[in-house]
Amino acid sequence: MRIALVTGRSDVAHQEETDRPLVEALQRAGVDVVEPDWRDDDVEWADLDLAVVRTTWDYTGHRDAFVQWAQRVAARTRLVNDADVLRWNTHKSYLLELEERGAPVIPTAWMARGDGVDLAALLAARGWTRAVVKPAVASGSDGLVRVEEDDASRSAAQGHLEALLLEGDAMVQPYLPAIESDGELSVVVLDGEVSHAVRKRPRPGEFRIQEQHGGRYAREEVPRAVGDLARWIVAATGVRPLIARVDLVAGDDGTPQLVELELTEPDLYLTLAPDAAERLAGLLVARALPSR
């Protein structure tokens, strides 16, 4: 059996470390594991039993090409997650659909490419004293800016928003202070079932929780209510993705708010949960088996 864990042209060392437990688990199961770049035109995708999108973290600058690539690959072999899921999930407007279905999405102001927006007026109309501005197609904290109450911060954020809207769609959300104390809880859901969770906290004085910004990660038990919410959010998509990560942060009233539903290329924090790597390997092997 030959399974591809599809990568991109980002930080190769980080990518290899991220999926090392999964590679080793698949190899123990007798799988021939390859890690091709999604933009490598020489890859014979039809020769694979399964292609799993894993660390294609560079897709955000090439979303249209990535979506087209997924459709081509899905016509040649099994693809995880499905091409239609990847198209839907690579633009954050999917949050609008989830909100309509009842998911506790952080309140969001949406802007389309080319829009002219007075950020200060927007914040005043929404009653938001602090906020975050980010692109609608992004990975991690790329393009994320916090807006404070002072004039200098708002002026800088206005310029940032205008620059984003020259290139694509953007979004503005209220800033949730709990990110600094409680951080973000990522709940990993594999084939519809909660696998594990990781708490990601920023370093002191920072609000971005990614490791490159000094964030600290630790595995955490999943409270039953949070696990139920994570499963419900994934089910609200109307499909059953094999791989999902639900990112939650506490709102002002302490209830979980949905930051992201990552169905495209989520870091699953398998180095903190090697048992999950074994479960995922089993699911992938089962998915790669020929249909009977």
Side-chain angles (χ1 to χ4, degrees), residues 253-268:
D253 62 356
T255 60
Q257 302 288 296
L258 179 63
V259 181
E260 298 274 8
L261 171 59
E262 277 282 4
L263 305 178
T264 302
E265 28 64 78
D267 190 337
L268 302 176

Side-chain angles (χ1 to χ4, degrees), residues 68-252:
Q68 292 165 8
W69 165 84
Q71 292 170 335
R72 291 195 304 271
V73 172
R76 292 167 172 78
T77 190
R78 295 176 180 84
L79 180 66
V80 171
N81 283 316
D82 295 342
D84 287 343
V85 170
L86 300 181
R87 175 192 54 76
W88 180 77
N89 190 240
T90 48
H91 190 291
K92 296 186 193 303
S93 58
Y94 72 82
L95 291 168
L96 279 169
E97 294 185 39
L98 291 178
E99 184 177 31
E100 290 172 355
R101 296 169 192 174
V105 175
I106 298 171
T108 305
W110 298 91
M111 284 136 281
R113 180 177 181 176
D115 281 352
V117 178
D118 183 328
L119 182 58
L122 169 64
L123 298 184
R126 294 284 185 127
W128 299 342
T129 56
R130 304 169 77 195
V132 292
V133 175
K134 54 187 174 182
V137 178
S139 179
S141 61
D142 292 346
L144 175 66
V145 166
R146 180 171 57 181
V147 189
E148 301 289 3
E149 298 182 60
D150 60 279
D151 291 341
S153 175
R154 296 198 170 193
S155 177
Q158 176 72 44
H160 179 68
L161 178 59
E162 291 172 358
L164 290 179
L165 291 171
L166 288 175
E167 301 295 329
D169 303 336
M171 53 200 292
V172 178
Q173 297 176 319
Y175 179 70
L176 300 180
I179 194 69
E180 297 176 37
S181 55
D182 299 334
E184 179 179 288
L185 183 67
S186 289
V187 183
V188 175
V189 180
L190 302 178
D191 198 25
E193 298 300 327
V194 171
S195 169
H196 60 282
V198 169
R199 177 75 62 179
K200 302 175 290 186
R201 286 186 170 90
R203 63 176 173 80
E206 179 60 77
F207 70 100
R208 293 167 295 185
I209 46 81
Q210 289 76 21
E211 287 182 316
Q212 64 264 37
H213 299 295
R216 296 164 290 128
Y217 299 176
R219 187 169 180 174
E220 186 171 297
E221 290 299 315
V222 185
R224 182 170 182 174
V226 174
D228 289 345
L229 174 62
R231 279 194 299 271
W232 183 90
I233 289 171
V234 173
T237 64
V239 297
R240 189 181 176 95
L242 193 68
I243 296 172
R245 195 188 78 208
V246 182
D247 294 338
L248 303 166
V249 65
D252 291 337

